[in-house]
Amino acid sequence: MDTTDLANRIAAAERRALARGITLVESARPDHRAQALEVLAALPRDRQALRIGLSGTPGVGKSTFIEAFGMMLVRAGLRVAVLAVDPSSARSGGSILGDKTRMDLLSREPNAFIRPSPSQTHLGGVARRTREAVALCEGAGFDVVLIETVGVGQSETVVAQMADLFLLLLAPAGGDELQGVKRGIMEMADMILINKADGDLKAAATRTCADYAGALRLLRKRPQDPAGYPRAMMVSALHEDGLEAAWADMQALADWRKEAGFFEGTRAAQARYWFEEEVRSALLAQLKADAVRAAMDALAGQVEAGEISPGDAARDLISKHLSR
């Protein structure tokens, strides 16, 4: 593969080249990994998109929101990339990758790009190489990159380590003030959007929004937030209500953080985080070596037989095979 040619084609906004580049960075083959790093190094470094992470429980309407929100951005003249992470089966390892089918209109837009990816064994609601897929989309000149996580609970917050803004979608009647002040995903959110605020659910959405707005005022103030943030607001992806107001608030928050110096500082901290993650992943990869696997299997048998404790077995394995 000519990695320079692929990088040039991605920089020229060729959709097929971008898709091929994402496939390359997602590959686990060592030779593909080396090529992926070459492609990433050859991309233009002066292009930056607004990275928006989007999380929420299953069924809250993430895909519907993204299509309506993405179409609004496209109509405003922006180029939008969507990276949708689909959960992988713990039994078979497969993924449906069906998020794109829910975005019928957006998937046909020439100024939009949608890529579903499997989460595989990676925890945190995103795939292991989603951050690098974001870099490829930026290199292709997209203005906004939306990162949709799998349907998550309260502890999957890795998407906040690759996004400039973190949105949390909630359904009406989804909790009370106590739910709002729980630590975890709630305190990571920059904006909480109560979706499905229409029809019979409008009244419930109003109460839920008020509950979370009150809860947010009880959370400890973060230095990267101006007055009024994080905030809760109602939207209806189905009727496209509240989307423009939400986008205006996102832009205002991003602009304030840029002027206050938090925007670049956060990206620098995120780069450090992913460097440390790469080191951890490389160390864990050593466990797949044949000699180490054989030693692990032997020690596992001793642990099962009660001949050695799990802690002693682990210490023995590390001291003999992994320590240098």
Side-chain angles (χ1 to χ4, degrees), residues 1 6 10 25 43-44 67 74 96-97 111 124 134 156 158 177 205 208 220 227 247 250 260 290 305 311 321:
M1 178 184 297
L6 180 60
I10 292 174
V25 300
L43 290 174
E67 173 162 66
V74 168
I96 297 177
L97 302 179
N111 286 325
V134 171
E156 290 82 356
V158 176
E177 298 95 332
T208 302
R220 182 177 299 173
W247 173 235
M250 293 178 212
D290 292 340
H321 296 277

Side-chain angles (χ1 to χ4, degrees), residues 223-234:
Q224 71 269 29
D225 292 330
Y229 289 88
R231 64 178 52 181
M233 60 190 306
M234 298 187 300

Side-chain angles (χ1 to χ4, degrees), residues 36-107:
L37 293 176
E38 291 177 4
V39 171
L40 290 167
L43 290 174
R45 297 184 177 273
D46 58 342
R47 299 179 180 179
Q48 287 192 348
L50 182 62
R51 310 167 186 171
I52 301 176
L54 182 70
S55 189
T57 54
V60 75
K62 295 188 296 295
S63 297
T64 304
F65 172 83
I66 286 176
E67 173 162 66
F69 186 65
M71 289 297 296
M72 181 197 71
L73 297 179
V74 168
R75 288 193 293 266
L78 300 175
R79 299 183 66 225
V80 180
V82 178
L83 302 175
V85 182
D86 202 47
S88 298
S89 170
R91 295 183 177 180
S92 66
S95 298
I96 297 177
L97 302 179
D99 295 276
K100 194 172 182 178
T101 62
R102 298 194 184 106
M103 307 177 193
D104 184 50
L105 295 176
L106 191 62
S107 63

Side-chain angles (χ1 to χ4, degrees), residues 166-205:
F166 181 29
L167 311 182
L168 178 62
L169 253 65
L170 297 177
D176 53 15
E177 298 95 332
L178 179 60
Q179 195 71 20
V181 298
K182 285 184 178 179
R183 296 302 188 255
I185 200 169
M186 298 292 177
E187 63 181 352
M188 301 295 292
D190 295 310
M191 293 178 62
I192 294 179
L193 304 180
I194 312 302
N195 194 24
K196 303 183 179 181
D198 49 56
D200 295 338
L201 293 175
K202 185 66 176 288

Side-chain angles (χ1 to χ4, degrees), residues 252-275:
L253 178 57
D255 290 342
W256 185 89
R257 286 179 174 174
K258 289 178 181 178
E259 293 175 1
F262 290 108
F263 196 87
E264 292 301 327
T266 298
R267 286 199 171 187
Q270 290 173 349
R272 181 187 180 95
Y273 171 87
W274 288 107
F275 158 70

Side-chain angles (χ1 to χ4, degrees), residues 292-304 307-308:
V292 178
R293 287 302 313 171
M296 285 185 68
D297 292 340
L299 287 168
Q302 296 179 40
V303 170
E304 291 176 349
E307 299 172 359
I308 186 173

